[in-house]
Amino acid sequence: MKFGDNLEDSTYEPWKDNYVQYNALKKQLEQGLNGPNGWTERDEGIFGQTLDSDLTKIYSFVNSKFEELQERTTKAELRVATFQEAYNQKALDSLTAAISEITDEVNQLSKYCRTNYAGFLKIVKKHDKNVPYKLRPVFMVQLKSRAFYNVNFDSLVVRLSKLYHTIGAESMAFGTPITPSTLTGMINQQGLDRRSFKFWVHPDNVMEVKTTVLKHLPVILYTPRGPGPNNSESLDPSLSSVYLDNSSFDLYNTKLERKEGAQAIRLRWYGSPSNNEIFIERKIHHEINKLGEYHDRFSIKEKYVDAFLKGTYTLDRQVAKLKEQGVKSPAEIEQFQELVKDVQKSIVDMKLRPILRTIYNRTAFQIPGDNRVRLSLDTDLCMIREDNLDGVTRSGNHWRRMDVEYPIGTKTTHEQDMTRFNYAILEVKLELPPNKATPAWVEELMHSHLVESAESFSKYVHGVAVLLESHVALLPFWLAQLEKDSGRTPDAMRGQLSHDTPSISRAHSTAEIESINSRRSSVVSRAESEHGPALSKGKNRSMDVVVDNNYGGPYGTAPRPGSSRASSIKKGFGFKGLGGVFKMSKGKDSRETSPLLGPTQVDDAVPQIRIIPPKPKKVVGVLKVEAKVFFANERTFLKWMNFAVLLGTLGVGLFNAGDNIGRFAGILLAITALLTLVYSIWLYERRLTMLRNKDPGPYDEPVMPTLMCVCLLTAISLNFYLKSTVKSKP
């Protein structure tokens, strides 16, 4: 679908006159280019005025509409305050409808900003592609000065959330204050069914997900300790974590393999790096008891973190203070002390060091004190290297690097050490009694087009796989899906990722999504019992489990006819001896893997599980060109020159000092040397261009070495033949 058609589909009818005139600008561009004089300065001026007029119009509309929504929210808050004194069902229904209308318009305004922002970039790109005048540099300055796309809706979301849950949540009567004591006795703490699900959310659908959830759950505000206002306008929603690992990436490998007891240790803080309270957290994976993960943490002051990681500082003083205060029982204090010692011992014994930092903005939804349904939505996820590998000092001897500035901008000085995740991450956590069904609105959200299931996704695993690919032997299976979905397709615009990729999408019930975990575990356990412990040793010590909707997908099988994958296979040169010098062979797709261990019958709607053999091939992502590659190209060029000079010297010597036969052989050698020099220059420039463009290759060059061998063989053979046939004089 073209962007013009997509713009029409995305247009909110009441605001249709306030959108960017994309089709009119496109028509204006075509008419000017097809005119008798081509694109003139007059056409450029008219086009620029129209574009600037649209930008001003949209900027003013967004500001006025946002102020209007704030005023309407304030009026709704005043009406809610009066309802605390006098309850009226009819008026309550009217107020609820008004709040819902505001919520819908907040969602529409967010979509409006994204759609118009994309429209401006599209039309400017089309202009610069077809017109000799370059408009983008100037327009981006104007766009930045009227940044309508940077409106922060978080404060409105928090206020609307408070309105919904002040007038009464679904399961609670009107006006009931939501406190932990209110929920006492509502939940049976014993025998709870704990489940957790992760989803990817397209940026275009983030606000719709927020406005959908806030109608059922209130927004939780993280209130850091210390002086200062703690409200929706002043709080920083950013959340940062520094993950620890060793040079062998043991924690990464065990987490990727989903081994029983696999742990992740991280240091977390809320808001800016100036926050003095640091939480040291440990997550332990448990597959057997279906609890998913145990999550423990304790706080420490920032100035003691380095000493704690080295093992020279303990929390004995804090333990003594807890005993003096008497707030916690002796059993709780002993458990806390054991946790601290266990975590510190793991850090020291395993030689854990900072490896990766994740930074994102979190919006959490939960009724305070009620753990039955909890949702968190993480947006603007950035992952930054913290390691000191590759001979580069990043964090140094400190537990985190200090050159990261908050908030993270679109361009930073350490861009080469950072990767951004294109999607938001929604996590749904349920703690329900065994016979209690999942709330209908949660089921509807999890199976809607707004989200895509990503049950095994890990921020730390993804960051290491992308930024430290050369240091690890295994990569997560979801990289193939992200590689395929990197294009902004019409489906992706609507939040629908490709359905022919290995993912769990559109299961018909929570039970079907949950069954994936148990089926994956049974397959891995069965494979380990069949192949023995050898699978867990050495470099290729694990198997990766892939969940696929269609048997015969992109792993180890032929692509379907007419598919984009089949049409994108490149042909490369392949040579087999002298007989195949000019014979071309088809190249293999970079994503192809080894054959599967066995066929699988698709007998139901649940995605089928297949096992990638113990030695998986890596997924080819964006090529990272290091400086040493350019030096290698130069060294290859110098080797070619060295050979050409040697060959030319031999040819000139034979030509000057030899007889007629020697002169003939010298001419052949000299011509070969000249061709080698010209070819080496061409090959150097060609490879240099490919490296600058990050072309994945191929970089091998089997043609010229073969021709050089043929020329040398011909010259030497002719020299011997002619010498042997000439009769010597008596």
Side-chain angles (χ1 to χ4, degrees):
M1 183 185 294
K2 295 183 178 180
F3 181 78
D5 298 331
N6 184 74
L7 178 62
E8 292 181 1
D9 294 341
S10 305
T11 300
Y12 183 50
E13 192 63 26
W15 303 345
K16 63 180 181 179
D17 296 332
N18 294 288
Y19 282 80
V20 59
Q21 303 177 64
Y22 180 83
N23 291 327
L25 287 167
K26 182 179 177 182
K27 186 177 181 180
Q28 183 178 331
L29 192 62
E30 293 174 351
Q31 289 177 349
L33 292 171
N34 296 329
N37 299 323
W39 189 264
T40 62
E41 291 185 2
R42 181 175 178 275
D43 296 328
E44 182 70 15
I46 296 175
F47 186 88
Q49 289 178 359
T50 307
L51 200 64
D52 185 72
S53 175
D54 276 8
L55 180 59
T56 303
K57 173 186 67 177
I58 292 171
Y59 178 71
S60 301
F61 177 80
V62 171
N63 285 339
S64 61
K65 180 58 66 174
F66 186 73
E67 292 178 1
E68 176 191 331
L69 291 172
Q70 287 183 316
E71 292 176 0
R72 290 165 60 184
T73 304
T74 302
K75 292 180 180 179
E77 290 171 341
L78 294 175
R79 292 178 62 186
V80 167
T82 61
F83 272 43
Q84 302 294 332
E85 302 173 359
Y87 174 80
N88 184 294
Q89 184 62 44
K90 184 177 180 180
L92 177 62
D93 294 339
S94 173
L95 177 57
T96 304
I99 297 174
S100 298
E101 185 179 346
I102 297 173
T103 304
D104 293 338
E105 288 203 9
V106 169
N107 182 35
Q108 291 295 339
L109 185 60
S110 175
K111 290 183 178 179
Y112 173 88
C113 294
R114 295 186 64 85
T115 301
N116 284 282
Y117 178 74
F120 280 122
L121 296 185
K122 290 280 186 181
I123 195 63
V124 170
K125 181 180 179 181
K126 187 177 290 291
H127 170 277
D128 290 359
K129 184 178 179 181
N130 298 282
V131 175
Y133 303 98
K134 298 303 176 185
L135 182 60
R136 182 180 175 86
V138 177
F139 178 76
M140 293 307 293
V141 174
Q142 297 177 346
L143 186 62
K144 190 174 182 179
S145 64
R146 286 168 281 186
F148 64 88
Y149 51 88
N150 273 342
V151 177
N152 187 356
F153 294 97
D154 289 342
S155 60
L156 266 178
V157 169
V158 173
R159 294 173 66 185
L160 291 171
S161 173
K162 289 181 179 179
L163 286 175
Y164 274 109
H165 296 276
T166 301
I167 63 176
E170 286 183 331
S171 58
M172 305 183 70
F174 166 74
T176 303
I178 301 175
T179 62
S181 59
T182 307
L183 300 164
T184 302
M186 294 180 60
I187 308 175
N188 179 17
Q189 297 296 336
Q190 301 296 327
L192 291 178
D193 183 14
R194 295 178 174 90
R195 292 169 291 171
S196 178
F197 308 98
K198 288 184 180 180
F199 302 89
W200 290 331
V201 182
H202 194 277
D204 292 346
N205 296 325
V206 167
M207 184 54 64
E208 188 169 354
V209 170
K210 286 184 178 181
T211 53
T212 299
V213 177
L214 66 82
K215 296 177 182 179
H216 307 278
L217 292 176
V219 177
I220 292 180
L221 296 178
Y222 292 99
T223 55
R225 298 175 183 176
N230 288 329
N231 51 54
S232 57
E233 287 79 11
S234 63
L235 291 179
D236 186 351
S238 65
L239 194 156
S240 305
S241 300
V242 173
Y243 288 85
L244 306 180
D245 211 333
N246 52 30
S247 57
S248 300
F249 290 89
D250 290 333
L251 300 188
Y252 166 86
N253 289 321
T254 54
K255 188 172 182 63
L256 178 59
E257 296 162 16
R258 299 176 67 85
K259 286 187 175 181
E260 176 66 21
Q263 62 177 339
I265 299 178
R266 66 192 180 195
L267 295 93
R268 169 169 289 187
W269 69 93
Y270 299 93
S272 67
S274 60
N275 189 354
N276 190 42
E277 185 178 28
I278 308 298
F279 293 94
I280 299 181
E281 300 182 345
R282 180 184 63 177
K283 297 174 70 175
I284 301 178
H285 176 75
H286 288 284
E287 194 77 38
I288 298 176
N289 54 16
K290 297 182 180 179
L291 291 180
E293 290 179 327
Y294 286 139
H295 188 183
D296 299 316
R297 74 174 185 175
F298 56 90
S299 63
I300 186 175
K301 291 185 178 180
E302 196 275 336
K303 60 182 178 180
Y304 299 130
V305 172
D306 284 322
F308 180 85
L309 297 181
K310 295 176 183 178
T312 58
Y313 175 81
T314 61
L315 270 68
D316 294 341
R317 187 182 304 174
Q318 187 173 347
V319 172
K321 186 181 294 184
L322 290 175
K323 292 180 179 179
E324 291 177 2
Q325 293 175 350
V327 178
K328 292 187 176 182
S329 64
E332 291 176 333
I333 295 176
E334 184 179 354
Q335 184 179 4
F336 170 78
Q337 193 172 9
E338 184 178 351
L339 169 65
V340 172
K341 291 182 178 179
D342 193 17
V343 171
Q344 189 173 41
K345 186 176 185 301
S346 297
I347 294 174
V348 175
D349 292 348
M350 298 182 66
K351 299 180 180 179
L352 302 183
R353 295 292 181 267
I355 293 295
L356 184 82
R357 182 188 304 193
T358 61
I359 307 171
Y360 49 88
N361 295 326
R362 167 162 290 186
T363 305
F365 302 88
Q366 179 186 356
I367 297 176
D370 186 355
N371 292 334
R372 290 176 296 177
V373 181
R374 293 173 290 162
L375 283 84
S376 63
L377 185 64
D378 300 334
T379 57
D380 304 322
L381 172 59
C382 297
M383 288 154 279
I384 305 175
R385 292 182 63 172
E386 292 275 350
D387 61 275
N388 298 316
L389 302 174
D390 303 328
V392 179
T393 301
R394 296 180 178 90
S395 59
N397 295 324
H398 197 39
W399 67 275
R400 63 180 175 185
R401 60 192 298 174
M402 303 303 295
D403 59 344
V404 179
E405 298 180 358
Y406 283 60
I408 302 295
T410 55
K411 291 291 182 182
T412 63
T413 56
H414 44 268
E415 195 73 23
Q416 70 280 358
D417 290 340
M418 181 171 65
T419 182
R420 302 173 190 270
F421 193 68
N422 294 330
Y423 302 103
I425 301 155
L426 175 68
E427 186 169 5
V428 180
K429 294 183 179 180
L430 304 174
E431 292 187 11
L432 302 172
N435 298 326
K436 179 69 174 179
T438 303
W441 68 270
V442 178
E443 286 275 2
E444 184 179 355
L445 175 63
M446 291 195 298
H447 304 118
S448 68
H449 71 281
L450 300 175
V451 299
E452 177 74 10
S453 182
E455 55 111 3
S456 299
F457 179 78
S458 166
K459 300 182 183 73
Y460 173 62
V461 170
H462 181 81
V464 171
V466 174
L467 295 174
L468 294 154
E469 179 183 353
S470 60
H471 295 271
V472 294
L474 296 176
L475 296 178
F477 67 89
W478 62 75
L479 286 184
Q481 183 176 3
L482 294 175
E483 180 78 14
K484 193 176 184 68
D485 298 323
S486 58
R488 196 173 175 80
T489 62
D491 284 341
M493 288 284 291
R494 294 189 293 272
Q496 298 173 353
L497 304 182
S498 300
H499 296 289
D500 57 348
T501 50
S503 66
I504 310 165
S505 66
R506 310 298 175 267
H508 298 291
S509 67
T510 309
E512 292 182 10
I513 297 179
E514 186 189 10
S515 67
I516 297 300
N517 283 331
S518 59
R519 293 176 63 179
R520 288 168 65 108
S521 302
S522 62
V523 172
V524 173
S525 301
R526 185 169 62 252
E528 289 179 350
S529 64
E530 293 175 359
H531 296 275
L535 291 177
S536 61
K537 296 180 180 180
K539 282 189 176 180
N540 306 306
R541 58 182 176 273
S542 71
M543 296 190 302
D544 203 357
V545 180
V546 176
V547 183
D548 200 353
N549 287 335
N550 300 301
Y551 182 76
Y555 288 91
T557 54
R560 295 185 297 273
S563 66
S564 59
R565 184 174 182 267
S567 60
S568 63
I569 295 178
K570 296 181 179 180
K571 292 184 177 181
F573 287 95
F575 297 86
K576 299 180 180 179
L578 293 176
V581 172
F582 300 102
K583 185 177 180 180
M584 297 176 60
S585 63
K586 292 183 179 180
K588 294 184 179 180
D589 188 15
S590 58
R591 293 195 187 98
E592 183 179 343
T593 62
S594 303
L596 304 177
L597 294 182
T600 306
Q601 295 293 332
V602 181
D603 54 359
D604 53 22
V606 181
Q608 299 302 306
I609 296 179
R610 301 184 280 111
I611 302 178
I612 299 301
K615 192 176 180 180
K617 289 189 178 181
K618 292 184 177 181
V619 178
V620 177
V622 180
L623 184 66
K624 300 179 181 66
V625 183
E626 300 180 4
K628 61 183 180 182
V629 180
F630 292 94
F631 299 146
N633 187 32
E634 293 179 3
R635 287 196 299 270
T636 305
F637 171 63
L638 295 175
K639 290 289 185 182
W640 280 97
M641 284 187 60
N642 184 34
F643 179 78
V645 170
L646 182 62
L647 200 62
T649 302
L650 181 60
V652 172
L654 287 174
F655 181 82
N656 292 331
D659 52 9
N660 291 334
I661 298 174
R663 289 192 183 94
F664 180 75
I667 291 174
L668 287 179
L669 294 176
I671 293 174
T672 304
L674 291 175
L675 291 176
T676 303
L677 279 174
V678 174
Y679 171 77
S680 63
I681 296 174
W682 173 82
L683 181 62
Y684 171 75
E685 292 293 338
R686 174 175 171 270
R687 287 177 173 170
L688 186 62
T689 302
M690 292 174 66
L691 290 173
R692 286 173 177 170
N693 296 333
K694 296 185 178 180
D695 195 324
Y699 284 84
D700 59 321
E701 194 63 37
V703 177
M704 193 60 183
T706 305
L707 292 178
M708 289 174 57
C709 290
V710 171
C711 291
L712 285 174
L713 181 62
T714 302
I716 295 173
S717 299
L718 284 176
N719 185 61
F720 277 103
Y721 173 75
L722 294 176
K723 276 290 186 181
S724 63
T725 56
V726 175
K727 296 181 179 180
S728 59
K729 295 181 180 180

